[in-house]
Amino acid sequence: MSQGRERVYINDVAPRDGLQIEKQWVATADKVRLIDGLMATGLARVEATSFVSPRAIPNLADAAEVVQGIRRVSGVGIVVLVPNVKGCERALASGVDEINLVMSASESHSRANLRMSPEQSLAQFAEIVDLAKGSGVFVNGSLSTAFGCPFDGEVPQSRVLGFIERLLELGVEGVTLADTTGMANPAQVARLCEAVMTRWSQVPFTLHVHNTRGMGLANCLAAWQSGVTQFDAALGGLGGCPFAPGATGNVCTEDLVHMFEQMGVDTGVDLAALIELSTTLPELVGHDVPGQVAKAGPADRRYPCPAGL
Amino acid sequence: MSQGRERVYINDVAPRDGLQIEKQWVATADKVRLIDGLMATGLARVEATSFVSPRAIPNLADAAEVVQGIRRVSGVGIVVLVPNVKGCERALASGVDEINLVMSASESHSRANLRMSPEQSLAQFAEIVDLAKGSGVFVNGSLSTAFGCPFDGEVPQSRVLGFIERLLELGVEGVTLADTTGMANPAQVARLCEAVMTRWSQVPFTLHVHNTRGMGLANCLAAWQSGVTQFDAALGGLGGCPFAPGATGNVCTEDLVHMFEQMGVDTGVDLAALIELSTTLPELVGHDVPGQVAKAGPADRRYPCPAGL
């Protein structure tokens, strides 16, 4: 089953994709503490914040202060989301390792979420890529609703492949396939991942899935079987989907690390440290979080046999 | 990915494995209504109750009345758990289609859960199989802790294969590999399923997993990829694990049906009816249940695009 893919690389997006939708304001110092904690566990990357307009996402209004506050760790990349040219300028000035540009593969989600068409996103990306050129900052492009759109329904694979081609032509260096609203299934993930890994074998692809319908880990498994070794996940399973009330958020980092480590696939992550950090989340965000391994303990935890037996 | 396995068969164990640990007594009429509802959705089998001593599991003290009350549906098997010879006599008298015998693959879990050793279980099974012979009732054997024991730790695959061989020699006709406390991972599931499917290609094997650490669907996916087409699951994800507080229960039936149907694998089940039935559970058991598709809706549900866009 492993087929030689014995190391995976996980990008924790909780500070950005998680905190952006929380009702409770998280203090800058607490955000920095969370990011520092994540970096100390051995994760490959952390998506720390978004250089978005404070009016659009008040929770992340402290983007520059957060990036400035982080204690940098060698070998751990700091990623930030960049929604436009102005955000790119701020991100480059802050000294991050990677910028993540996000567009939607579907028209309606693009207009609802980004207030522009996919074509307008691509036009803007061209300017951003030009700006980042020569900075040494890695440019990643994320394709939201790559596995389906809650408004438009099915997004044909040919359409997704077409947008990836356009992104790469613009100079984007890595691509994230995002299941923004948790619609993907393992067969579909395997089909798309196999298609992109075959066609662009030199491009680093990342899978970003939400656990909305419980398929988060199954989808990561299917992607890994197809050759994907980079995954987005959020500590505690933070994040959510505004169109699915009661649903869980991003696939949970500690649950994903636990699955891979149990399978004998190296994540480079200290699971115990990750679980400890996850247990601080309910106080930070003011509610329980959906991650399961932090509650149940890892599968190799032993319990004393009931007395008298 | 499908490799010709385009039909799977699901056994809902909620009335037995789910209700047995609930704090709230569920009235016999409500149990019957639940089972009738499950049978009407097109599930292959329903594990309706356990002919266990009422002192051991008070919740299932009404086993005979429950089986008597069910409206039988052609093509849907009624399974009951049978813990001993006396339970087998009662089960045969009640007119079920299948009896399920349960033993543990690990010593400590066997003693803690069944108050006997695996060898004593096998000796008792010999008597039960003799009793059931000629009755036309299918005899299934379940192997608990087949993927690990919370007390003893790892259960070697050779030990599991040895017990399966003994079960089949006794005349057991089908075998369930049970991940009783949610310790299995997809690589391990694939290894064991491939081993048993290769060695005993004529025996119907069922996978029974708990979602304790979030890997329920991923483990079912791995088993299906290895050739397993029979799965246990519980409506709403009922059930639990006394050794993992806060953890979820059995893999959730509607989440499993949803995953397979989305993948293009036929389950024979009316998902909408299953979801509707699942939404009656919180009132029945007095608490929220972990299943996610009943909350988020199926992936092919469409939402109106936000106004003004």
Side-chain angles (χ1 to χ4, degrees), chain A residues 199-276:
Chain A
R199 183 148 161 199
W200 296 287
S201 61
Q202 299 310 308
V203 174
F205 283 96
T206 300
L207 185 76
H208 173 111
V209 295
H210 284 235
N211 195 36
T212 318
R213 292 166 179 93
M215 292 182 283
L217 291 183
N219 285 334
C220 290
L221 176 68
W224 174 77
Q225 290 173 332
S226 305
V228 171
T229 57
Q230 294 190 175
F231 298 89
D232 282 358
L235 190 71
L238 280 188
C241 168
F243 311 111
T248 65
N250 289 268
V251 73
C252 170
T253 308
E254 62 269 28
D255 291 3
L256 184 65
V257 166
H258 175 264
M259 179 178 80
F260 278 129
E261 292 286 338
Q262 287 287 315
M263 291 171 67
V265 178
D266 184 21
T267 63
V269 177
D270 177 346
L271 179 62
L274 201 62
I275 289 174
E276 204 182 319

Side-chain angles (χ1 to χ4, degrees), chain A residues 105-128:
Chain A
S106 62
E107 287 289 337
S108 298
H109 184 268
S110 184
R111 290 178 188 280
N113 197 45
L114 305 169
R115 304 189 175 272
M116 63 180 99
S117 69
E119 283 302 328
Q120 288 173 304
S121 283
L122 285 165
Q124 197 174 258
F125 286 1
E127 290 182 65
I128 296 174

